[in-house]
Amino acid sequence: QSVLTQPPSVSAAPGQKVTISCSGSSSNIGNNYVSWYQQLPGTAPKLLIYENNKRPSGIPDRFSGSKSGTSATLGITGLQTGDEADYYCGTWDRSLNPGPVFGGGTKLTVL
Amino acid sequence: EVQLLESGGGLVQPGGSLRLSCAASGFTFSTCAMTWVRQAPGKGLEWVSAISGGGGATYYADSVKGRFTISRDNSKNTLYLQMNSLRAEDTAIYYCAKDPRGQLENFDYWGQGTLVTVSS
């Protein structure tokens, strides 16, 4: 059971927009930055978004992040078949076992 | 170009030990905090351990505290994870990752991972 809650799967057609939610609490998302990672099949995770809404160099602006209260959202516009992957949110959690935590992951299918 | 290359994974019996290594290049290793994150087969990501750039501060998830030890050799640009008293639930791909701000908030580069299988 992950500390951060993500939908198990989302899907959309090529060219469309999709959003992936990440729900937490005041112990984690509510008081810390959120990051997002993309994991293509059989590969290592890749940082997509950090500090809620910043993109590392080389990440296209089709990817965006936002945070409100104890939830965060990853948005992807202009969907491509190459975007099919698992997406994870992450943040710091200061509850009983302080440390970085991740969501359970969301499988994106581009139909 | 930042590169992280893990090694040392393999099959080990329950109760056994294994030492993972992560060779780093392309950045000033000694000034960067580093972390280990694992992923059980078909499961999500789980943070395991982290270490400051100088090696003086270390952090562990409760699930591995007392069994795993993180360390680094800045003269060799290498990160280590010594894993003792291994259990079946430690079976996972282990990734090393770079922590750009040393705040355990995000990890900007990841290695390709090394698979650890704990089974009799």
Side-chain angles (χ1 to χ4, degrees), chain A residues 37 39 44-45 51 88 97 100, chain B residues 39 47 62 95 101 106-107 111:
Chain A
Y37 302 86
Q39 187 174 33
E51 293 181 5
Y88 294 90
N97 306 314
Chain B
Q39 185 172 34
W47 173 74
D62 277 2
Y95 297 101
R101 293 181 59 202
N106 65 81
F107 311 114

Side-chain angles (χ1 to χ4, degrees), chain A residues 33 35 37 39 43-47 49-51 88 90-92 96-104, chain B residues 35 37 39 43-47 59-60 62 95 100-101 103-113:
Chain A
Y33 287 126
S35 54
Y37 302 86
Q39 187 174 33
T43 70
K46 174 183 178 181
L47 181 65
I49 298 289
Y50 68 100
E51 293 181 5
Y88 294 90
T91 188
W92 173 270
L96 282 176
N97 306 314
V101 291
F102 297 95
Chain B
T35 201
V37 175
Q39 185 172 34
K43 302 297 184 182
L45 303 173
E46 179 190 14
W47 173 74
Y59 311 89
Y60 299 93
D62 277 2
Y95 297 101
R101 293 181 59 202
Q103 301 293 320
L104 295 177
E105 291 176 330
N106 65 81
F107 311 114
D108 60 352
Y109 289 93
W110 298 58
Q112 88 292 342

Side-chain angles (χ1 to χ4, degrees), chain A residues 12-72:
Chain A
Q16 296 300 302
K17 174 183 177 179
V18 71
T19 60
I20 297 172
S21 61
C22 176
S23 178
S25 69
S26 58
S27 296
N28 41 67
I29 291 178
N31 285 284
N32 295 283
Y33 287 126
V34 176
S35 54
W36 289 91
Y37 302 86
Q38 176 194 60
Q39 187 174 33
L40 297 169
T43 70
K46 174 183 178 181
L47 181 65
L48 279 183
I49 298 289
Y50 68 100
E51 293 181 5
N52 302 334
N53 55 19
K54 297 178 182 178
R55 283 177 285 106
S57 173
I59 300 300
D61 58 7
R62 299 189 300 108
F63 295 90
S64 63
S66 64
K67 184 184 115 170
S68 178
T70 59
S71 293

Side-chain angles (χ1 to χ4, degrees), chain A residues 95-110:
Chain A
S95 59
L96 282 176
N97 306 314
V101 291
F102 297 95
T106 299
K107 169 65 178 176
L108 168 63
T109 301
V110 181

